[in-house]
PDB file of all heavy atoms in Angstrom:
ATOM      1  N   PHE A 707      -4.563  15.339  -1.906  1.00  0.00           N
ATOM      2  CA  PHE A 707      -5.989  15.266  -1.576  1.00  0.00           C
ATOM      3  C   PHE A 707      -6.455  16.461  -0.742  1.00  0.00           C
ATOM      4  O   PHE A 707      -7.631  16.803  -0.765  1.00  0.00           O
ATOM      5  CB  PHE A 707      -6.299  13.916  -0.911  1.00  0.00           C
ATOM      6  CG  PHE A 707      -6.247  12.789  -1.911  1.00  0.00           C
ATOM      7  CD1 PHE A 707      -5.167  11.947  -1.960  1.00  0.00           C
ATOM      8  CD2 PHE A 707      -7.262  12.654  -2.851  1.00  0.00           C
ATOM      9  CE1 PHE A 707      -5.094  10.965  -2.955  1.00  0.00           C
ATOM     10  CE2 PHE A 707      -7.194  11.688  -3.825  1.00  0.00           C
ATOM     11  CZ  PHE A 707      -6.109  10.836  -3.889  1.00  0.00           C
ATOM     12  N   ALA A 708      -5.527  17.099  -0.040  1.00  0.00           N
ATOM     13  CA  ALA A 708      -5.886  18.354   0.616  1.00  0.00           C
ATOM     14  C   ALA A 708      -6.209  19.395  -0.422  1.00  0.00           C
ATOM     15  O   ALA A 708      -7.215  20.137  -0.309  1.00  0.00           O
ATOM     16  CB  ALA A 708      -4.729  18.834   1.498  1.00  0.00           C
ATOM     17  N   LYS A 709      -5.432  19.429  -1.501  1.00  0.00           N
ATOM     18  CA  LYS A 709      -5.672  20.391  -2.568  1.00  0.00           C
ATOM     19  C   LYS A 709      -7.014  20.142  -3.224  1.00  0.00           C
ATOM     20  O   LYS A 709      -7.830  21.070  -3.412  1.00  0.00           O
ATOM     21  CB  LYS A 709      -4.538  20.295  -3.584  1.00  0.00           C
ATOM     22  CG  LYS A 709      -4.539  21.436  -4.604  1.00  0.00           C
ATOM     23  CD  LYS A 709      -3.351  21.301  -5.557  1.00  0.00           C
ATOM     24  CE  LYS A 709      -3.596  22.220  -6.753  1.00  0.00           C
ATOM     25  NZ  LYS A 709      -2.893  21.802  -7.965  1.00  0.00           N
ATOM     26  N   LEU A 710      -7.297  18.876  -3.546  1.00  0.00           N
ATOM     27  CA  LEU A 710      -8.592  18.549  -4.154  1.00  0.00           C
ATOM     28  C   LEU A 710      -9.754  18.865  -3.225  1.00  0.00           C
ATOM     29  O   LEU A 710     -10.855  19.185  -3.664  1.00  0.00           O
ATOM     30  CB  LEU A 710      -8.655  17.035  -4.518  1.00  0.00           C
ATOM     31  CG  LEU A 710      -7.828  16.565  -5.701  1.00  0.00           C
ATOM     32  CD1 LEU A 710      -8.078  15.073  -5.936  1.00  0.00           C
ATOM     33  CD2 LEU A 710      -8.169  17.348  -6.967  1.00  0.00           C
ATOM     34  N   SER A 711      -9.518  18.745  -1.922  1.00  0.00           N
ATOM     35  CA  SER A 711     -10.572  18.991  -0.931  1.00  0.00           C
ATOM     36  C   SER A 711     -10.713  20.455  -0.587  1.00  0.00           C
ATOM     37  O   SER A 711     -11.533  20.841   0.249  1.00  0.00           O
ATOM     38  CB  SER A 711     -10.267  18.219   0.362  1.00  0.00           C
ATOM     39  OG  SER A 711     -10.081  16.852   0.120  1.00  0.00           O
ATOM     40  N   ARG A 712      -9.871  21.311  -1.209  1.00  0.00           N
ATOM     41  CA  ARG A 712      -9.826  22.752  -0.914  1.00  0.00           C
ATOM     42  C   ARG A 712      -9.564  22.984   0.561  1.00  0.00           C
ATOM     43  O   ARG A 712     -10.310  23.643   1.265  1.00  0.00           O
ATOM     44  CB  ARG A 712     -11.131  23.420  -1.333  1.00  0.00           C
ATOM     45  CG  ARG A 712     -11.382  23.304  -2.825  1.00  0.00           C
ATOM     46  CD  ARG A 712     -11.469  24.667  -3.504  1.00  0.00           C
ATOM     47  NE  ARG A 712     -11.675  24.560  -4.946  1.00  0.00           N
ATOM     48  CZ  ARG A 712     -10.661  24.440  -5.814  1.00  0.00           C
ATOM     49  NH1 ARG A 712      -9.397  24.446  -5.419  1.00  0.00           N
ATOM     50  NH2 ARG A 712     -10.907  24.367  -7.098  1.00  0.00           N
ATOM     51  N   LEU A 713      -8.481  22.388   1.017  1.00  0.00           N
ATOM     52  CA  LEU A 713      -8.032  22.576   2.410  1.00  0.00           C
ATOM     53  C   LEU A 713      -6.567  22.921   2.419  1.00  0.00           C
ATOM     54  O   LEU A 713      -5.801  22.364   1.616  1.00  0.00           O
ATOM     55  CB  LEU A 713      -8.246  21.286   3.217  1.00  0.00           C
ATOM     56  CG  LEU A 713      -9.710  20.827   3.427  1.00  0.00           C
ATOM     57  CD1 LEU A 713      -9.746  19.409   3.973  1.00  0.00           C
ATOM     58  CD2 LEU A 713     -10.418  21.778   4.420  1.00  0.00           C
ATOM     59  N   ASN A 714      -6.184  23.862   3.280  1.00  0.00           N
ATOM     60  CA  ASN A 714      -4.767  24.172   3.464  1.00  0.00           C
ATOM     61  C   ASN A 714      -4.210  23.344   4.613  1.00  0.00           C
ATOM     62  O   ASN A 714      -4.824  23.306   5.708  1.00  0.00           O
ATOM     63  CB  ASN A 714      -4.564  25.646   3.812  1.00  0.00           C
ATOM     64  CG  ASN A 714      -5.035  26.571   2.698  1.00  0.00           C
ATOM     65  OD1 ASN A 714      -4.954  26.214   1.532  1.00  0.00           O
ATOM     66  ND2 ASN A 714      -5.526  27.746   3.059  1.00  0.00           N
ATOM     67  N   ILE A 715      -3.116  22.682   4.393  1.00  0.00           N
ATOM     68  CA  ILE A 715      -2.518  21.854   5.451  1.00  0.00           C
ATOM     69  C   ILE A 715      -1.085  22.331   5.650  1.00  0.00           C
ATOM     70  O   ILE A 715      -0.338  22.428   4.676  1.00  0.00           O
ATOM     71  CB  ILE A 715      -2.472  20.376   5.012  1.00  0.00           C
ATOM     72  CG1 ILE A 715      -3.878  19.837   4.630  1.00  0.00           C
ATOM     73  CG2 ILE A 715      -1.836  19.495   6.073  1.00  0.00           C
ATOM     74  CD1 ILE A 715      -4.843  19.687   5.740  1.00  0.00           C
ATOM     75  N   ASN A 716      -0.717  22.659   6.891  1.00  0.00           N
ATOM     76  CA  ASN A 716       0.677  23.056   7.118  1.00  0.00           C
ATOM     77  C   ASN A 716       1.579  21.843   7.334  1.00  0.00           C
ATOM     78  O   ASN A 716       1.092  20.721   7.492  1.00  0.00           O
ATOM     79  CB  ASN A 716       0.778  24.116   8.247  1.00  0.00           C
ATOM     80  CG  ASN A 716       0.368  23.523   9.601  1.00  0.00           C
ATOM     81  OD1 ASN A 716       0.614  22.356   9.885  1.00  0.00           O
ATOM     82  ND2 ASN A 716      -0.256  24.348  10.434  1.00  0.00           N
ATOM     83  N   ASP A 717       2.887  22.104   7.381  1.00  0.00           N
ATOM     84  CA  ASP A 717       3.819  20.971   7.421  1.00  0.00           C
ATOM     85  C   ASP A 717       3.650  20.113   8.667  1.00  0.00           C
ATOM     86  O   ASP A 717       3.800  18.898   8.618  1.00  0.00           O
ATOM     87  CB  ASP A 717       5.273  21.509   7.359  1.00  0.00           C
ATOM     88  CG  ASP A 717       5.600  21.990   5.960  1.00  0.00           C
ATOM     89  OD1 ASP A 717       4.843  21.679   5.032  1.00  0.00           O
ATOM     90  OD2 ASP A 717       6.615  22.729   5.802  1.00  0.00           O
ATOM     91  N   GLU A 718       3.349  20.761   9.775  1.00  0.00           N
ATOM     92  CA  GLU A 718       3.187  20.022  11.029  1.00  0.00           C
ATOM     93  C   GLU A 718       1.981  19.109  10.960  1.00  0.00           C
ATOM     94  O   GLU A 718       2.033  17.918  11.344  1.00  0.00           O
ATOM     95  CB  GLU A 718       3.024  21.050  12.170  1.00  0.00           C
ATOM     96  CG  GLU A 718       3.256  20.475  13.559  1.00  0.00           C
ATOM     97  CD  GLU A 718       2.922  21.511  14.631  1.00  0.00           C
ATOM     98  OE1 GLU A 718       3.234  22.704  14.408  1.00  0.00           O
ATOM     99  OE2 GLU A 718       2.322  21.122  15.632  1.00  0.00           O
ATOM    100  N   GLU A 719       0.864  19.685  10.447  1.00  0.00           N
ATOM    101  CA  GLU A 719      -0.368  18.883  10.304  1.00  0.00           C
ATOM    102  C   GLU A 719      -0.138  17.713   9.332  1.00  0.00           C
ATOM    103  O   GLU A 719      -0.730  16.628   9.508  1.00  0.00           O
ATOM    104  CB  GLU A 719      -1.499  19.744   9.772  1.00  0.00           C
ATOM    105  CG  GLU A 719      -2.057  20.739  10.765  1.00  0.00           C
ATOM    106  CD  GLU A 719      -2.998  21.763  10.108  1.00  0.00           C
ATOM    107  OE1 GLU A 719      -2.896  21.990   8.882  1.00  0.00           O
ATOM    108  OE2 GLU A 719      -3.800  22.337  10.807  1.00  0.00           O
ATOM    109  N   LYS A 720       0.689  17.979   8.340  1.00  0.00           N
ATOM    110  CA  LYS A 720       0.913  16.970   7.295  1.00  0.00           C
ATOM    111  C   LYS A 720       1.494  15.683   7.890  1.00  0.00           C
ATOM    112  O   LYS A 720       1.081  14.562   7.518  1.00  0.00           O
ATOM    113  CB  LYS A 720       1.909  17.533   6.256  1.00  0.00           C
ATOM    114  CG  LYS A 720       1.616  17.051   4.873  1.00  0.00           C
ATOM    115  CD  LYS A 720       2.576  17.697   3.873  1.00  0.00           C
ATOM    116  CE  LYS A 720       3.405  16.577   3.216  1.00  0.00           C
ATOM    117  NZ  LYS A 720       4.333  17.101   2.229  1.00  0.00           N
ATOM    118  N   VAL A 721       2.424  15.835   8.847  1.00  0.00           N
ATOM    119  CA  VAL A 721       3.063  14.658   9.463  1.00  0.00           C
ATOM    120  C   VAL A 721       2.018  13.835  10.228  1.00  0.00           C
ATOM    121  O   VAL A 721       1.933  12.615  10.073  1.00  0.00           O
ATOM    122  CB  VAL A 721       4.207  15.115  10.387  1.00  0.00           C
ATOM    123  CG1 VAL A 721       4.813  13.933  11.102  1.00  0.00           C
ATOM    124  CG2 VAL A 721       5.250  15.908   9.619  1.00  0.00           C
TER     125      VAL A 721
END
Side-chain angles (χ1 to χ4, degrees):
Chain A
F707 289 102
K709 191 178 166 204
L710 287 183
S711 306
R712 299 240 177 273
L713 293 167
N714 297 329
I715 305 290
N716 64 35
D717 286 347
E718 197 186 322
E719 288 169 337
K720 214 178 119 180
V721 177

